[in-house]
């Protein structure tokens, strides 16, 4: 994030201070200009102009700041610094690197008025050109690469704001992000650093229908409610239901090239967990540190509210930048409720007309503007890339009828409903299979059919039908008891139990079960289907249901998840199930 002191245009005077909201008089400013407030120069952004009174939201604590102090306008919108060094970094909500701030101030608590560039300005990167003198380049075109981390090659692109032209000179070797590496005939100089205003989507050629799943390695997601690369999803759930674990599982295992994790306003200790944990984790597919493909934005609840408002924009802009390089990016925001609450707080300080439950009337518009920036794109440089956006929602008391959940539901196409009852029963992930949905299912089926098995959609539908039937039968069981049900329905309940316990449950903390590739997901489901078919054959042949469900082999279905050599295990298990059932008739 930057706004350099040299570009300061005009001074104003503080009129009033109300928490994060400051008004100033006589400031020559436009909407969304970044300003420096008070003697300490706290960073803020213009959010309202009426006559000669300008209203500013300040990204830092304003205690002690008072009327009469100066306000300086930079004349520039809030921007992010983009370039090598974004990965393996941890930022606050206005892209100040937390480790840099820590060394500057000697403590992990952010001091006021401390500014730091989003990417290191004096670090040398090895630039390998991909264009030569005489080539013609347009905005967005890749002019070279930098090995940013062990996993990711950073593509250096002509900024979207350039005109483009013929390359007159190209450098190769070690440079800082501010040194020109490519010069064009119109005088434009391409460096490894670009800036982009956070509230504006980066340009793209077209948005396409996403047709590839973002594989998460979580059975209930991939197998039942898949999200597409470029898709949107919401994870609402009450406290303790598993939002954070689900987001972390996605950050670790999702088959995206880049992960942007926005920790927004959760309690400080939860975010500390992320900040402490993530740098220790390994990327299971490459063995490299997970941070080598990750950018973390941490804005805890004790950090100023306005920075919480901006952190999701900072995150999505970084995501779009890597998308432009042709990467698949997954952005997790935990939690969008805290973001909405920040909007609510600022709106009430502005004395705006409140909407539902005190949220501003523009809540729905802001949420949709955010999720709109996700998608599968053809980029301006001809590559394809995607941004998938996954937002946790923490409705107070777990009540999904509140405005943030409801407005999010109208926008996102995948809904993973976490359920307090399931969590209490230790059914994890506690995603409610009756309430959740994915509108991507049909468009992703061809991928699963081609890459896993032809009957993937049929098998999933079979499981959905059994679970639906179970839900109906359970109501009857509550009235009359299980034994009053006909034998075939008792057997259906048993099959449904295996679907729940073996297939839908998955232990995030078991070294093998934590990640389940789609092939294994398919085999687990079809093993249960196999048990179902053999069991119903036995029932038709006159075997009593108690004997069918008490065969030794059946409970071993619950152990497939923890098998590393699952193919062999499943093949043997299927044979045994058939054998044990058939010998009874
Ligand atoms: P939330 O973020 O919704 O408050 P958490 O994600 O912190 O909830 O989950 C609460 C607890 O539930 C975790 O500490 C963990 O013990 C358990 N849990 C959640 N998901 C799983 C899972 N997939 N596997 C095992 N345990 C889980």
């Amino acid at each position: 994030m930057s706004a350099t002191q040299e570009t300061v245009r005009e001074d104003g005077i503080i009129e009033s201070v109300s928490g994060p909201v400051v008004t100033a008089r006589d400031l020559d400013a436009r909407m969304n200009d970044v300003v420096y407030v008070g003697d300490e120069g706290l960073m803020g952004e213009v959010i309202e102009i009426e006559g000669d009174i300008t209203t500013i939201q300040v990204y830092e604590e304003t205690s002690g700041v008072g009327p009469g102090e100066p306000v300086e306008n930079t004349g520039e919108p809030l921007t992010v610094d983009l370039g090598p060094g974004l990965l393996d970094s941890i930022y606050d909500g206005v892209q100040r690197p937390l480790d840099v701030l820590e060394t500057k101030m000697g403590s992990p608590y952010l001091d006021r008025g401390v500014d730091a560039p989003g990417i290191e300005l004096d670090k040398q990167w090895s630039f390998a050109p991909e264009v030569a003198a005489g080539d013609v380049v347009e905005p967005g075109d890749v002019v070279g690469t930098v090995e940013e981390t062990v996993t990711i090659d950073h593509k250096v692109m002509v900024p979207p704001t350039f005109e483009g032209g013929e390359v007159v000179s190209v450098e190769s070797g070690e440079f800082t992000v501010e040194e020109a590496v490519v010069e064009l005939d119109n005088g434009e100089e391409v460096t490894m650093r670009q800036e982009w205003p956070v509230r504006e989507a980066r340009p793209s050629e077209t948005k396409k229908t996403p047709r590839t799943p973002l594989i998460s390695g979580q059975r209930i997601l991939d197998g039942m409610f898949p999200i597409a690369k470029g898709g949107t999803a919401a994870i609402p759930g009450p406290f303790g239901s598993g939002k954070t674990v689900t987001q972390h599982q996605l950050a670790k295992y999702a088959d995206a090239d880049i992960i942007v994790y926005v920790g927004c306003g959760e309690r400080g200790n939860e975010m500390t967990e992320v900040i402490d944990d993530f740098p220790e984790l390994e990327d299971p597919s490459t063995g490299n540190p997970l941070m080598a493909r990750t950018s973390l934005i941490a804005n805890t609840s004790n950090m100023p509210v306005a920075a919480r408002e901006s952190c999701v924009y900072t995150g999505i802009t970084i995501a779009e930048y890597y998308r432009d390089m042709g990467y698949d990016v997954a952005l997790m925001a935990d939690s969008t409720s805290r973001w909405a609450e920040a909007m609510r707080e600022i709106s009430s300080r502005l004395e705006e007309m409140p909407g539902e439950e005190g949220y501003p009337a523009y809540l729905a518009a802001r949420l949709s503007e955010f999720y709109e920036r996700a998608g599968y794109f053809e980029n301006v440089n001809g590559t394809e890339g995607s941004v998938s956006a996954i937002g946790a929602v923490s409705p107070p008391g777990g009540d999904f009828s509140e405005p943030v959940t409801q407005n999010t539901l109208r926008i996102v196409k995948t809904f993973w409903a976490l359920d307090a009852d399931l969590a209490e029963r230790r059914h994890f992930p506690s995603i409610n299979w009756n309430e959740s949905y994915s509108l991507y299912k049909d468009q992703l089926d061809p991928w699963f059919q081609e890459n896993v098995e032809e009957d993937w959609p049929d098998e999933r539908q079979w499981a959905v039908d059994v679970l639906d039937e179970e839900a109906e039968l359970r109501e009857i069981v509550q009235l009359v008891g299980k034994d009053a049900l006909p034998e075939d329905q008792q057997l259906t309940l048993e099959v449904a139990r295996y679907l729940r316990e073996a297939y839908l449950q998955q232990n995030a903390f078991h070294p093998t079960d934590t990640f389940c590739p789609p092939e294994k997901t398919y085999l687990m489901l079809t093993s249960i289907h196999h048990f179902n078919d053999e069991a119903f054959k036995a029932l038709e042949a006159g075997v009593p249901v108690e004997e069918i469900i008490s065969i030794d082999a059946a409970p071993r279905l619950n152990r497939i998840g923890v098998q590393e050599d699952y193919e062999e295990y499943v093949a043997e298990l299927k044979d045994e199930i058939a054998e044990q059932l058939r010998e009874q008739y």
Side-chain angles (χ1 to χ4, degrees):
M1 198 77 47
S2 73
T4 39
Q5 295 284 355
E6 300 95 74
T7 54
V8 166
R9 297 197 317 185
E10 278 299 333
D11 277 7
I13 298 292
I14 296 181
E15 178 101 350
S16 72
V17 179
S18 160
V21 174
V22 167
T23 59
R25 199 164 14 89
D26 299 334
L27 185 72
D28 178 13
R30 290 167 309 180
M31 278 297 282
N32 297 331
D33 277 352
V34 168
V35 296
Y36 288 104
V37 175
D39 297 328
E40 286 179 84
L42 310 182
M43 201 207 270
E45 186 183 1
V46 172
I47 54 173
E48 202 176 75
I49 301 171
E50 255 189 61
D52 67 346
I53 296 292
T54 305
T55 308
I56 299 153
Q57 61 175 359
V58 181
Y59 294 118
E60 301 178 73
E61 253 315 304
T62 55
S63 53
V65 179
E69 288 184 39
V71 178
E72 293 175 331
N73 186 14
T74 64
E76 288 177 356
L78 192 64
T79 58
V80 266
D81 275 329
L82 301 167
L86 288 169
L87 300 178
D88 200 6
S89 284
I90 305 178
Y91 296 113
D92 76 353
V94 284
Q95 210 205 1
R96 298 184 302 179
L98 289 180
D99 52 346
V100 173
L101 291 174
E102 197 171 324
T103 33
K104 264 194 177 177
M105 300 176 322
S107 96
Y109 299 100
L110 305 191
D111 245 342
R112 302 194 301 182
V114 174
D115 205 356
I119 50 177
E120 274 181 76
L121 299 185
D122 42 14
K123 178 167 175 170
Q124 302 251 323
W125 296 91
S126 180
F127 176 79
E130 287 189 359
V131 290
D135 289 352
V136 173
V137 292
E138 292 179 18
D141 283 353
V142 174
V143 295
T145 59
V146 168
E147 196 186 303
E148 182 174 2
T149 65
V150 281
T151 8
I152 296 297
D153 275 341
H154 192 107
K155 313 270 162 69
V156 178
M157 298 173 288
V158 178
T161 49
F162 276 27
E163 269 176 33
E166 193 180 310
V167 173
V168 288
S169 74
V170 190
E171 305 289 343
S172 167
E174 305 283 315
F175 297 94
T176 70
V177 295
E178 293 192 301
E179 289 171 307
V181 285
V182 170
E183 238 177 275
L184 307 184
D185 59 350
N186 61 1
E188 287 175 332
E189 293 185 339
V190 181
T191 65
M192 290 184 253
R193 176 192 189 193
Q194 329 189 342
E195 285 175 80
W196 191 260
V198 293
R199 299 190 192 275
E200 209 178 294
R202 283 174 66 85
S204 64
E205 194 63 39
T206 46
K207 210 170 185 176
K208 303 174 101 177
T209 306
R211 300 202 183 276
T212 319
L214 181 74
I215 296 295
S216 65
Q218 312 304 303
R219 285 188 288 277
I220 186 160
L221 307 187
D222 300 339
M224 303 281 282
F225 311 111
I227 177 175
K229 287 204 169 99
T232 49
I235 318 179
F239 174 73
S241 58
K243 290 181 296 296
T244 310
V245 173
T246 310
Q247 293 273 43
H248 287 195
Q249 288 297 93
L250 286 162
K252 281 186 226 169
Y253 297 113
D255 68 337
D257 302 306
I258 307 283
I259 302 288
V260 179
Y261 195 99
V262 184
C264 179
E266 287 300 320
R267 284 172 307 282
N269 54 348
E270 285 177 13
M271 212 49 225
T272 320
E273 217 177 279
V274 174
I275 293 172
D276 289 346
D277 276 8
F278 270 53
E280 309 270 302
L281 297 172
E282 258 184 26
D283 181 346
S285 58
T286 57
N288 294 327
L290 203 60
M291 283 302 288
R293 63 162 192 172
T294 307
S295 192
L296 273 182
I297 297 160
N299 214 85
T300 57
S301 51
N302 54 359
M303 293 184 189
V305 67
R308 210 187 302 163
E309 193 272 333
S310 70
C311 65
V312 299
Y313 298 104
T314 302
I316 199 124
T317 308
I318 293 175
E320 286 173 339
Y321 177 61
Y322 283 94
R323 170 208 75 189
D324 286 347
M325 299 178 202
Y327 287 122
D328 292 313
V329 187
L331 176 135
M332 332 287 163
D334 185 13
S335 126
T336 56
S337 297
R338 302 283 109 80
W339 174 47
E341 284 158 20
M343 270 183 238
R344 177 166 68 182
E345 183 170 338
I346 292 160
S347 166
S348 91
R349 301 263 187 189
L350 291 174
E351 294 173 7
E352 289 173 341
M353 177 90 82
E356 242 184 309
E357 293 190 21
Y359 287 102
Y362 46 78
L363 171 70
R366 290 283 168 85
L367 282 167
S368 79
E369 271 163 30
F370 164 67
Y371 284 108
E372 276 283 303
R373 288 172 74 170
Y376 193 98
F377 292 88
E378 187 180 323
N379 296 321
V380 286
N381 57 19
T383 59
E384 289 189 355
S386 66
V387 174
S388 313
I390 300 158
V393 188
S394 15
D399 171 13
F400 289 178
S401 68
E402 60 86 44
V404 183
T405 313
Q406 282 304 312
N407 283 303
T408 305
L409 274 184
R410 282 186 208 118
I411 304 160
V412 299
K413 294 200 165 151
T414 321
F415 179 56
W416 299 321
L418 293 174
D419 186 317
D421 286 343
L422 288 174
E424 206 164 295
R425 281 188 263 142
R426 315 282 311 153
H427 174 114
F428 289 120
S430 52
I431 295 172
N432 184 311
W433 52 93
N434 294 315
E435 279 183 44
S436 302
Y437 58 78
S438 163
L439 301 181
Y440 298 110
K441 257 184 344 208
D442 296 342
Q443 74 208 53
L444 297 178
D445 276 343
W447 186 94
F448 284 108
Q449 290 179 286
E450 205 169 297
N451 292 279
V452 191
E453 278 302 334
E454 187 53 36
D455 60 354
W456 174 280
D458 304 331
E459 289 296 333
R460 182 185 57 223
Q461 192 54 49
W462 171 77
V464 169
D465 292 343
V466 173
L467 291 165
D468 278 352
E469 198 179 340
E470 184 199 35
E472 282 171 29
L473 291 177
R474 279 189 158 199
E475 288 178 19
I476 304 173
V477 168
Q478 277 184 346
L479 294 175
V480 298
K482 195 170 169 185
D483 296 338
L485 290 182
E487 288 204 313
D488 60 334
Q489 293 184 345
Q490 290 185 35
L491 191 50
T492 299
L493 285 180
E494 184 70 1
V495 173
R497 189 174 67 81
Y498 282 117
L499 281 176
R500 283 188 286 110
E501 291 178 3
Y503 184 63
L504 298 182
Q505 285 196 30
Q506 185 172 352
N507 185 354
F509 302 109
H510 185 281
T512 305
D513 200 26
T514 186
F515 176 78
C516 189
E519 295 73 21
K520 187 174 176 184
T521 293
Y522 174 83
L523 272 187
M524 283 181 82
L525 182 53
T526 48
S527 306
I528 300 169
H529 199 167
H530 169 80
F531 167 70
N532 173 85
D533 292 352
E534 289 294 336
F536 272 95
K537 268 195 248 163
L539 192 70
E540 266 166 43
V543 183
V545 71
E546 303 82 60
E547 280 171 34
I548 295 173
I549 66 182
S550 57
I551 59 163
D552 302 347
R556 288 179 52 203
L557 288 167
N558 285 331
R559 313 256 331 135
I560 304 174
V562 299
Q563 303 303 319
E564 210 152 336
D565 295 323
Y566 60 89
E567 280 164 327
E568 205 179 309
Y569 180 91
V570 163
E572 273 176 31
L573 179 58
K574 278 175 143 181
D575 285 349
E576 262 175 65
I577 286 173
E579 224 170 87
Q580 292 184 3
L581 285 170
R582 285 178 194 188
E583 70 195 15
Q584 303 196 37
Y585 59 94

